[in-house]
């Protein structure tokens, strides 16, 4: 091949894949960040193995990172990839099904040994024929060998040298898509500046070696350019859902004037929120890594009683353990935000895979009549907004709030326009500083039905909190039947009243039509892409996507009434559909469900919607 031609394309999907120790997450992140700095819209999907130490070279140990970048905002990380970088046969086999018909496959030729092929489950010594890849553009450079050759003068041991092969693959992709190397090299310099500058130099040389290999060998018929996206003016950065959640909580702390306390137990995939908050002592944040999930939420409840904006973070199994203490927060009517980053279940389930199967637990998973506000974020960047909202509602309405995210948006990233805090409202909790005439009544309520928040240590504001039922005004223990009935209804009415303090429900598309697609939480990107594809074909399809779950926003009934059919799409077996059947019983609900630990694909959604339209 004598000449490489340059083509302009609108969007590209690349999947980096290899053993969990091959550095695919870093490789994908550096490529994504470089594309974001060039102004491209990006959406990423890190895909981690579920086993901590899966046998090397096996499909169970394959780690992947998919990035979708283009000349417009990317709503999802893409269904199928234009380029697959596979560092071993297992990565190739695991990702064969995600190749587009015209895809380029870059496979490390050094990994094609009998042992690697056997571990990956190949029956022959020809994986390309076995996987029917004859029609694809398959490039098999000896990445490991060339990495060793490029770094031989540095005097590093073989293990350290081989670890740099992911940067060789990154260099190939930088050439293929006309990406500059500067950002990646600066990152490597800062990462290893104190530990070992020689390792930084080795990785930088590996990037150059990969780039030069692709440029000089003419293995690729084309290189590609992707124009910057036309995004709203502002300052942008790439952000993951977990980091955005942490920052949204920080913003709520700032706007309330109260210090942030986070008591949590590390759990995949929520741990990064705790880690991110632990970095911000400069902002007055207090974090406690508790010995277990129960201790995490109990320290947060105590901190709330003491006058902090209190948060605890977890995933599905941890939410189960927190349920009793969450009931305590409901009974004491203290503000608390519980962030649940959902993952595949039940039990330990699929720790690194995504799902939306904690909804019923969030809504009902406590003893007694125990209502809490439930919100759900729908993209990595809007985790910031809904974390802020969770804090605002919790503090102003004196109630626990569960914020649902999921592994897909928590680990994924996209460009985020950094907001001005002047655009966010002040949070005004009902703090009581002085006893009113006649004495302090801890369960006297304001127009939001929120009780007063009196911090300990203030004369005249002494009061009891605890798990036993309280008198409707005094807060003293009460076993009176009529009082209990009143308090049950009041706590429910307080949560229902939050509907007056949130935006009305909106719809993407016309307010009447043949099919209304309904979703919630982290499925928005795929659902919106599928709906917009059908709308472009003239189909009468609209999307109604929910972020406020309990209570439901105003206007839902009117929206639903405008469509002939309603299909509820979610990554579980129908939990939101069943919730809607209870809330809005006059409508019939179709369902499209998936429980594979993977997000929807736009292709499967379009096929389902088309079948319903027939």
């Amino acid at each position: 091949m004598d000449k490489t031609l340059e083509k302009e394309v609108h969007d590209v999907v690349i999947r980096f894949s290899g053993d969990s120790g091959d550095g695919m997450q870093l490789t994908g992140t550096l490529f994504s960040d470089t594309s974001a700095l060039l102004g491209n819209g990006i959406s990423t999907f890190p895909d981690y193995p579920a086993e901590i130490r899966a046998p090397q070279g096996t499909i169970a140990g394959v780690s992947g990172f998919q990035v979708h970048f283009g000349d417009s905002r990317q709503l999802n990380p893409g269904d199928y990839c234009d380029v697959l970088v596979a560092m071993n046969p297992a990565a190739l086999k695991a990702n064969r099904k995600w190749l587009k018909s015209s895809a380029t496959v870059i496979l490390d030729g050094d990994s094609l040994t009998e042992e690697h092929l056997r571990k990956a489950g190949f029956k022959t010594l020809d994986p390309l024929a076995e996987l029917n890849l004859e029609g694809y553009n398959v490039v098999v450079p000896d990445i490991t060998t060339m990495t060793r050759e490029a770094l031989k003068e540095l005097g590093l041991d073989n293990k350290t040298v081989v670890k740099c092969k992911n940067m060789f693959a990154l260099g190939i992709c930088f050439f293929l898509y006309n990406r500059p190397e500067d950002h990646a090299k600066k990152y490597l310099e800062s990462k290893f500046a104190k530990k070992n500058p020689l390792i930084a130099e080795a990785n930088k040389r590996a990037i150059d070696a990969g780039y030069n290999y692709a440029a000089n060998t003419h293995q690729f018929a084309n290189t590609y350019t992707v124009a910057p996206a036309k995004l709203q003016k502002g300052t942008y950065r790439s952000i993951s859902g977990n980091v955005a959640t942490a920052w949204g909580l920080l913003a709520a702390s700032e706007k309330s004037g109260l210090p942030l306390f986070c008591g949590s137990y590390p759990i995949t995939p929520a741990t990064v929120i705790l880690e991110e908050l632990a970095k911000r002592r400069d902002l007055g944040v207090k974090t406690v890594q508790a010995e277990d999930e129960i201790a995490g939420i109990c320290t947060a409840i105590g901190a709330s009683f003491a006058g902090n904006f209190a948060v605890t973070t977890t995933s599905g199994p941890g939410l189960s353990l927190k349920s009793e203490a969450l009931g305590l927060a409901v009974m004491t009517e203290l503000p608390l935000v519980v962030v649940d980053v959902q993952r595949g279940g039940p039990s330990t389930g699929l720790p690194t895979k995504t799902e939306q199967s904690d909804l019923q637990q969030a809504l009902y998973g406590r003893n007694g009549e125990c209502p809490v506000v439930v919100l759900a974020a729908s993209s990595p960047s809007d985790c910031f907004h809904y974390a802020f909202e969770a804090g605002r509602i919790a503090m102003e309405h004196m109630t626990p709030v569960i914020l649902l995210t999921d592994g897909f948006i928590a680990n994924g990233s996209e460009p985020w326009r950094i907001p001005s805090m002047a655009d966010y409202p002040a949070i005004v909790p009902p703090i009581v500083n002085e006893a009113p005439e006649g004495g302090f009544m801890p369960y006297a309520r304001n127009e939001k039905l929120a009780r007063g928040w009196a911090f300990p240590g203030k004369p005249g504001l002494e009061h009891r909190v605890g798990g036993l039922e309280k008198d409707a005004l005094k807060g003293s223990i009460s076993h009176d039947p009529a009082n209990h009935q009143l308090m049950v209804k009041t706590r429910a009415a307080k949560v229902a009243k939050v509907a007056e303090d949130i935006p009305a429900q909106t719809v993407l598309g016309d307010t009447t039509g043949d099919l209304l697609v309904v979703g919630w939480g982290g499925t928005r990107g795929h659902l919106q892409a599928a709906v917009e594809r059908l709308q472009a074909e003239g189909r009468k399809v609209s999307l109604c996507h929910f972020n406020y779950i309990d209570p439901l926003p105003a206007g839902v009934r009117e929206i639903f009434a405008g469509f002939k059919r309603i299909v509820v799409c979610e990554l579980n077996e129908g939990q939101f559909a069943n919730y809607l059947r209870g809330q809005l019983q006059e409508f019939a609900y179709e369902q499209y469900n998936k429980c594979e630990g993977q997000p929807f694909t736009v292709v499967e959604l379009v096929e389902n919607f088309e079948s319903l339209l027939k």
Side-chain angles (χ1 to χ4, degrees):
M1 204 175 291
D2 296 326
K3 190 175 181 181
T4 301
L5 302 176
E6 185 176 300
K7 289 186 176 181
E8 185 168 342
V9 291
H10 293 295
D11 68 308
V12 176
V13 178
I14 301 180
R15 189 171 182 90
F16 299 92
S17 187
D19 262 325
S20 56
D22 283 341
M24 294 295 96
Q25 307 302 323
L26 175 60
T27 309
T29 298
L30 289 175
F31 190 93
S32 303
D33 289 351
T34 297
S35 298
L37 286 168
L38 290 177
N40 296 133
I42 65 165
S43 177
T44 71
F45 176 41
D47 192 10
Y48 303 97
E51 298 182 44
I52 296 174
R53 291 282 183 190
Q56 197 169 20
T58 64
I59 289 178
V62 171
S63 176
F65 188 104
Q66 186 159 303
V67 55
H68 186 190
F69 64 103
D71 59 9
S72 61
R73 182 190 175 195
Q74 300 307 313
L75 298 172
N76 57 73
D79 292 352
Y80 301 97
C81 58
D82 299 280
V83 176
L84 171 64
V85 176
M87 303 304 287
N88 61 17
L92 178 65
K93 189 173 186 179
N95 292 287
R96 168 65 178 87
K97 62 184 176 181
W98 301 116
L99 295 176
K100 291 181 181 178
S101 58
S102 58
T104 293
V105 177
I106 301 169
L107 173 65
D108 183 3
D110 289 313
S111 70
L112 296 177
T113 65
E114 185 175 349
E115 180 185 7
H116 277 105
L117 292 166
R118 176 181 55 79
K119 283 185 176 181
F122 284 98
K123 298 176 182 178
T124 70
L125 297 179
D126 189 352
L128 305 185
E130 196 168 326
L131 295 177
N132 191 27
L133 292 175
E134 286 81 359
Y136 293 85
N137 179 29
V138 182
V139 181
V140 191
D142 292 330
I143 292 176
T144 304
T145 297
M146 287 189 282
T147 301
R148 287 195 184 104
E149 180 66 22
L151 308 184
K152 64 182 181 181
E153 297 176 359
L154 295 179
L156 295 168
D157 62 272
N158 183 63
K159 184 178 180 181
T160 301
V161 168
V162 171
K163 280 187 174 181
C164 297
K165 64 183 181 181
N166 61 326
M167 294 296 104
F168 189 101
L170 179 62
I172 294 176
C173 294
F174 278 163
F175 170 79
L176 194 56
Y177 288 98
N178 288 287
R179 313 277 99 174
E181 303 170 44
D182 297 353
H183 168 73
K185 290 183 175 181
K186 287 178 182 177
Y187 171 85
L188 293 166
E189 288 169 359
S190 63
K191 180 177 176 65
F192 296 108
K194 294 181 180 179
K195 296 179 181 178
N196 191 339
L198 195 59
I199 294 178
E201 179 61 26
N203 280 281
K204 290 192 294 181
R205 289 192 185 188
I207 292 175
D208 288 336
Y211 192 100
N212 292 333
Y213 161 81
N216 296 327
T217 60
H218 303 292
Q219 289 288 316
F220 303 97
N222 302 293
T223 63
Y224 304 89
T225 59
V226 181
K230 295 178 181 178
L231 302 174
Q232 183 181 358
K233 287 185 177 180
T235 302
Y236 286 81
R237 60 156 286 157
S238 177
I239 199 166
S240 70
N242 273 339
V243 172
T245 299
W247 290 11
L249 297 171
L250 289 167
S253 171
E254 177 185 327
K255 283 295 187 175
S256 68
L258 296 177
L260 174 59
F261 176 93
C262 179
S264 290
Y265 179 75
I267 182 172
T268 301
T271 306
V272 169
I273 303 173
L274 175 61
E275 294 172 341
E276 191 67 23
L277 291 176
K279 298 175 184 177
R280 302 322 307 249
R281 291 183 183 179
D282 59 319
L283 298 178
V285 177
K286 298 181 286 288
T287 54
V288 172
Q289 181 176 320
E291 67 268 26
D292 55 42
E293 295 283 1
I294 298 170
I297 187 172
C298 287
T299 58
I301 292 171
S304 180
F305 175 68
N308 293 265
F309 168 39
V311 175
T312 187
T313 59
T314 191
S315 189
L319 186 60
S320 299
L321 290 165
K322 293 179 189 291
S323 61
E324 182 182 1
L326 187 53
L328 174 63
V330 171
M331 180 62 82
T332 56
E333 299 190 46
L334 287 167
L336 174 71
V337 172
V338 181
V339 181
D340 175 19
V341 186
Q342 299 168 96
R343 71 190 208 189
S347 187
T348 312
L350 305 173
T352 61
K353 308 301 180 184
T354 197
E355 211 163 87
Q356 289 184 297
S357 53
D358 292 351
L359 179 60
Q360 286 185 335
Q361 182 178 202
L363 291 167
Y364 310 119
R366 296 162 296 282
N367 67 296
E369 294 294 332
C370 193
V372 301
V373 176
V374 180
L375 310 181
S378 55
S379 73
S381 62
D382 83 357
C383 284
F384 177 90
H385 175 74
Y386 288 103
F388 181 91
E389 272 289 271
R392 180 186 70 83
I393 292 170
M395 286 186 277
E396 291 191 343
H397 292 262
M398 294 294 288
T399 181
V401 176
I402 296 177
L403 173 63
L404 297 172
T405 68
D406 57 62
F408 169 60
I409 60 173
N411 293 320
S413 61
E414 64 179 353
W416 174 57
R417 182 174 175 269
I418 300 173
S420 168
M421 289 312 297
D423 296 334
Y424 276 77
I427 295 174
V428 187
I431 297 171
V432 181
N433 289 312
E434 295 181 1
E437 187 176 345
F440 175 56
M441 295 293 177
Y443 283 83
R445 301 177 186 277
N446 63 15
E447 69 283 354
K448 295 179 179 178
L449 298 182
R451 75 174 187 87
W453 193 3
F455 305 155
K458 296 183 178 180
L461 298 179
E462 298 87 353
H463 63 286
R464 297 183 182 186
V465 296
L468 291 171
E469 183 62 280
K470 300 294 179 288
D471 179 85
L473 275 178
K474 298 176 183 178
S476 55
I477 296 170
S478 173
H479 295 290
D480 178 67
N483 179 80
H484 178 55
Q485 181 72 73
L486 174 62
M487 290 296 277
V488 166
K489 288 184 176 296
T490 301
R491 287 188 288 264
K494 181 175 69 168
V495 169
K497 205 165 182 63
V498 172
E500 300 173 9
D501 198 23
I502 59 177
Q505 185 61 36
T506 59
V507 61
L508 175 69
D510 294 334
T511 54
T512 59
D514 296 327
L515 179 65
L516 180 66
V517 176
V518 173
W520 66 276
T523 57
R524 175 162 187 139
H526 293 88
L527 294 176
Q528 183 173 335
V531 167
E532 288 179 345
R533 185 177 299 182
L534 291 171
Q535 288 174 340
E537 297 172 3
R539 315 301 288 274
K540 296 180 179 180
V541 182
S542 297
L543 172 65
C544 186
H545 202 83
F546 287 83
N547 298 108
Y548 298 91
I549 307 294
D550 190 10
L552 289 171
V556 177
R557 178 173 278 105
E558 291 76 11
I559 291 172
F560 283 12
F563 292 85
K564 296 176 183 177
R565 303 182 79 171
I566 300 171
V567 58
V568 184
C569 306
E570 46 189 329
L571 299 177
N572 58 47
E573 288 299 286
Q575 296 183 20
F576 190 55
N578 288 333
Y579 174 64
L580 290 174
R581 290 184 180 106
Q583 297 290 312
L584 299 164
Q585 300 178 10
E586 64 266 38
F587 301 105
Y589 302 95
E590 315 265 2
Q591 292 179 210
Y592 186 67
N593 303 107
K594 182 175 179 178
C595 230
E596 299 177 1
Q598 297 289 323
F600 286 124
T601 65
V602 176
V603 168
E604 67 184 330
L605 291 170
V606 168
E607 289 177 353
N608 177 263
F609 301 160
E610 286 180 334
S611 69
L612 291 172
L613 288 166
K614 291 178 182 177

